[in-house]
Amino acid sequence: MMRNDPIKHVFIWPAVLVVLAISIFPLIYSLTTSFLSYRLIPPIPPRVVWLGNYIALLQEPRFWNAIFTTTLIAFIAVGLQYAIGFGVALALNARVPGERLFRVALLLPMLLAPVAVALVARMIFNPTMGPLNQLLGKFGLVNLPFLTNGHWALACIIAVEVWQWTPFIILMMLAGLQTLPEDVYEAAELENASAWQQFWGITFPMLLPISAAVVFIRLIESYKIMDTVFVMTGGGPGVDTETLTLFAYQEGFKKFNLGYTSALSFLFLIAITIIGVTYLALLRPHLEKRR
Amino acid sequence: MSGQGLTGLSPWSRRLVAAGVLAWCLITVFPLYWVVVTAFKTPPGVVGGPTYLPFIDFTPTLQPFIDLYQGIRGEFFRTFLNSTIVGLSAAAIATAIGAMAAYALVRFEFRVRLGAGLAFFLLALGGYLVFNNNFGFTRPQALLLAFPIALAVAIIANRLPLPGPILGNEDILFWFVSQRMFPPIVTAFALYLLYSEIGRLGFQLIDSYIGLTLCYVAFSLPIVVWLMRDFFEAIPIEVEEAAMVDNVPSWRIFVGIVVPMSMNGLLATFMITLAFVWNEFLFALFLTNSRWQTLPILVAGQNSQRGDEWWAISAAALVAIIPMMIMAGLLSRMMRSGLLLGAIK
């Protein structure tokens, strides 16, 4: 039941005002800045260049490299997170032995500061003092260039992302699994459906809406990745692991190229929107079929 | 909880699944164990290659923590205090006003004309450009002038019978939540520009308590509104209706009945928000430099100061992590009561 009372405005306006102030202000501000050629160092008075910044960016190989790197990290990391997370959630839901113990460890990684996690990762991936290299040394792989080779560094960043955010997927999938009705499984049991058939025929389709939402959230969040890369590799070696946010940071805070950075952040916003809309459009037919 | 899944499996595949979960558990825990032990090592204990067990492989020491406390590697104590102050106040404010908004969206009906929303945005943008270019105001002045005008016009416009669709509570909720889709770099960089220009007018927001807290409140609101809406929806309406029959005013229903009934949810939301703010890096990097620096910035700065002093880095990381470890313990208890069940529907 909804009621109508003038006091509703007192309830909602503080939140609306704060969000408006902190999101619409900057939005307008950087939207207009993105059409200017505006530098702080060396100080040049702002000059209107219309789409000049955008065109310059689209012709910049470093921009495309950042897009490619970010996409690669986001898609591989989220794919792995989903596969591992769903598997672990299924096992936990089926009361695998030691489930209690695991639940405590479950939440930890996602509550830790990505910056601290990245520092710990740097220790573990350290070629001479890190435990990982000692372990791999037992298999005959010696001193792998974890963070100094472009491909390895990318793999390490993905590994850290997976480590940190798989718990989120486990948590959400576990919550979803607990809402499933038991009688469907009892019926399937009567028909002698194997565990594998039950999974593909019942569990997976019924969890599709939750899966879609969880993957969507993770994908959008992964595109914003910055802290981990900043600490682990700083975008290097060269620009091999430079993500979009890091690129924007370099342009904005190392070169103080304000118009350019604003244009970059808007291109980023457009890219995220396109990815989000495409993703939802691709999934919609599957989701509606199940309802 | 439905206990299907493993029942149909053979004993062997059961063991396989258990082993797989155990392996993931070890992968989750090992890095944490590694920070803890490294934080108690002496420099020779680290440089000589990986060691694993205190008192057997190496002799533990408290020196890294003493160094931290004495501020040998940056003002750690003060940064810790900054993070705590900003985190607690931002989380408290965000939870309070976010919960109010969520309650309003659950119990009251809102109707916003799309035309009014568009008018707001166009007037804010256009007014800003006009004030800035034609009247010679500075950029923040122009924004601060255009914003209230646009808001007032939009509120009036909402009462007029404008053509176009009317948005309801669901759309307002979507608007709130969609703020989280923004790449924070868009906001962070623009906020930095705006704050620094407001600073030039004499009101310092960069590296200030107000600037940082305000930004974190706005940044956390979407998630608070999203989580709290489900808690409020789960509250039986009969209690509120009974109070309304007795003519209890709405704000007393909220403070006296709804808030106590959803205390668990408020607490959990507060903790999740605190965790977000505590760990936040990008805004802190842009908006602070020395006085209000937060822990993530200091921790990130550890690796470049004097080469890689792993014992000190571990101690710093551990200090940043421990409050969140406690939080995880508290939250995992609440999680069992189906906290997140509502949020994903």
Side-chain angles (χ1 to χ4, degrees):
Chain A
M1 183 218 61
M2 296 278 191
R3 47 187 205 266
N4 209 344
D5 182 338
I7 199 154
K8 69 182 183 183
H9 296 293
V10 179
F11 277 110
I12 203 162
W13 274 105
V16 172
L17 277 180
V18 172
V19 172
L20 274 183
I22 299 293
S23 72
I24 301 287
F25 263 35
L27 192 70
I28 290 175
Y29 201 87
S30 65
L31 183 64
T32 51
T33 309
S34 76
F35 298 118
L36 303 174
S37 167
Y38 188 19
R39 291 189 89 117
L40 284 184
I41 299 168
I44 304 170
R47 184 170 52 84
V48 181
V49 292
W50 299 112
L51 289 176
N53 286 323
Y54 292 90
I55 292 164
L57 263 173
L58 291 175
Q59 287 167 345
E60 162 107 74
R62 205 171 148 194
F63 169 72
W64 290 108
N65 173 59
I67 291 228
F68 177 72
T69 310
T70 317
T71 309
L72 199 68
I73 293 175
F75 275 80
I76 297 181
V78 174
L80 286 173
Q81 282 163 23
Y82 182 67
I84 299 172
F86 200 178
V88 174
L90 280 172
L92 286 184
N93 192 46
R95 304 218 175 123
V96 83
E99 179 234 340
R100 278 258 183 91
L101 173 90
F102 189 77
R103 267 180 192 247
V104 183
L106 187 81
L107 269 169
L108 264 175
M110 55 184 275
L111 283 177
L112 306 183
V115 172
V117 170
L119 275 179
V120 178
R122 272 172 54 108
M123 273 189 262
I124 288 181
F125 289 129
N126 188 295
T128 52
M129 286 166 262
L132 187 64
N133 234 315
Q134 198 189 35
L135 179 75
L136 290 177
K138 298 222 165 97
F139 296 98
L141 301 158
V142 188
N143 276 357
L144 295 171
F146 285 118
L147 296 174
T148 41
N149 169 296
H151 295 293
W152 278 101
L154 217 52
C156 289
I157 289 168
I158 291 171
V160 173
E161 275 286 288
V162 172
W163 183 85
Q164 182 151 38
W165 293 109
T166 301
F168 176 77
I169 307 235
I170 301 177
L171 204 65
M172 291 300 197
M173 296 313 279
L174 202 53
L177 281 170
Q178 289 171 8
T179 62
L180 293 183
E182 214 146 330
D183 48 350
V184 189
Y185 289 96
E186 280 160 16
E189 205 88 355
L190 286 179
E191 305 221 343
N192 275 329
S194 70
W196 193 242
Q197 282 169 332
Q198 286 184 23
F199 173 75
W200 278 115
I202 310 172
T203 314
F204 186 74
M206 282 181 94
L207 286 182
L208 203 58
I210 292 176
S211 305
V214 169
V215 168
F216 183 68
I217 295 171
R218 280 311 316 148
L219 212 55
I220 298 286
E221 293 285 317
S222 291
Y223 260 84
K224 304 171 187 166
I225 182 173
M226 153 103 181
D227 329 16
T228 318
V229 186
F230 188 85
V231 173
M232 274 178 72
T233 64
V239 291
D240 283 351
T241 57
E242 190 174 64
T243 61
L244 273 171
T245 311
L246 204 56
F247 180 42
Y249 172 78
Q250 302 282 8
E251 284 296 322
F253 267 71
K254 294 284 149 67
K255 303 184 188 163
F256 284 98
N257 199 347
L258 305 190
Y260 200 61
T261 312
S262 300
L264 174 61
S265 56
F266 269 91
L267 281 181
F268 190 2
L269 185 60
I270 294 167
I272 287 244
T273 314
I274 291 174
I275 291 162
V277 171
T278 320
Y279 176 85
L280 291 179
L282 282 178
L283 266 170
R284 180 151 294 159
H286 298 284
L287 294 182
E288 273 168 4
K289 210 163 50 187
R290 307 288 170 195
R291 284 210 176 132
Chain B
M1 188 194 283
S2 48
Q4 85 290 337
L6 283 195
T7 43
L9 294 177
S10 67
W12 264 109
S13 33
R14 248 183 209 223
R15 261 169 234 163
L16 213 66
V17 170
V21 174
L22 190 68
W24 181 253
C25 191
L26 287 179
I27 291 174
T28 307
V29 172
F30 179 74
L32 298 171
Y33 174 74
W34 192 250
V35 217
V36 176
V37 289
T38 311
F40 291 99
K41 286 178 188 175
T42 52
V46 175
V47 180
T51 46
Y52 298 89
L53 299 165
F55 298 109
I56 298 172
D57 279 356
F58 66 91
T59 326
T61 166
L62 281 174
Q63 198 55 41
F65 291 99
I66 296 169
D67 288 353
L68 266 191
Y69 183 75
Q70 288 174 340
I72 287 176
R73 303 176 58 90
E75 287 199 54
F76 216 88
F77 188 66
R78 186 192 170 155
T79 314
F80 188 86
L81 212 61
N82 284 349
S83 265
T84 314
I85 295 171
V86 173
L88 287 178
S89 52
I93 298 171
T95 311
I97 65 177
M100 273 160 58
Y103 180 72
L105 286 174
V106 169
R107 290 289 185 250
F108 300 107
E109 195 178 15
F110 288 93
R111 295 158 72 81
V112 177
R113 289 176 194 280
L114 187 61
L118 282 177
F120 171 76
F121 187 76
L122 289 178
L123 270 175
L125 180 62
Y128 161 67
L129 287 175
V130 168
F131 282 129
N132 185 22
N133 293 330
N134 303 11
F135 291 92
F137 287 104
T138 63
R139 289 154 64 96
Q141 276 173 339
L143 261 185
L144 293 174
L145 274 173
F147 188 74
I149 295 175
L151 198 60
V153 172
I155 290 173
I156 295 166
N158 201 30
R159 314 229 159 207
L160 304 176
L162 290 178
I166 296 174
L167 309 176
N169 291 21
E170 285 296 309
D171 302 293
I172 300 177
L173 181 80
F174 180 77
W175 177 74
F176 264 114
V177 175
S178 70
Q179 301 299 317
R180 276 293 286 185
M181 261 185 69
F182 263 42
I185 187 93
V186 180
T187 319
F189 189 66
L191 263 186
Y192 168 78
L193 295 180
L194 187 73
Y195 277 15
S196 62
E197 292 219 28
I198 291 178
R200 242 171 272 162
L201 296 179
F203 189 74
Q204 199 189 351
L205 283 174
I206 286 199
D207 205 19
S208 80
Y209 168 74
I210 295 178
L212 198 59
T213 308
L214 189 68
C215 155
Y216 280 148
V217 169
F219 169 77
S220 329
L221 270 176
I223 211 148
V224 175
V225 174
W226 189 40
L227 286 173
M228 284 316 295
R229 188 194 61 139
D230 292 300
F231 286 111
F232 290 142
E233 266 180 351
I235 292 180
I237 189 140
E238 289 76 18
V239 192
E240 286 179 60
E241 279 171 341
M244 273 160 60
V245 173
D246 293 339
N247 269 331
V248 180
S250 282
W251 63 269
R252 277 189 54 193
I253 295 182
F254 179 69
V255 177
I257 299 173
V258 176
V259 167
M261 277 175 86
S262 51
M263 216 47 192
N264 270 344
L266 281 169
L267 252 162
T269 309
F270 174 79
M271 277 163 34
I272 290 170
T273 313
L274 184 58
F276 270 115
V277 177
W278 183 268
N279 295 335
E280 208 286 327
F281 178 70
L282 190 66
F283 284 105
L285 182 68
F286 276 51
L287 301 180
T288 67
N289 39 52
S290 58
R291 284 187 48 225
W292 282 95
Q293 203 175 50
T294 59
L295 264 183
I297 309 298
L298 191 70
V299 171
Q302 293 290 321
N303 62 356
S304 52
Q305 281 184 355
R306 280 187 270 165
D308 290 334
E309 297 181 340
W310 292 118
W311 50 95
I313 292 173
S314 302
L318 198 60
V319 171
I321 283 174
I322 279 177
M324 292 301 115
M325 285 185 169
I326 297 168
M327 200 93 99
L330 293 174
L331 266 176
S332 73
R333 286 204 181 156
M334 306 180 99
M335 222 48 94
R336 214 166 290 156
S337 51
L339 163 71
L340 283 170
L341 225 59
I344 54 176
K345 272 182 206 153

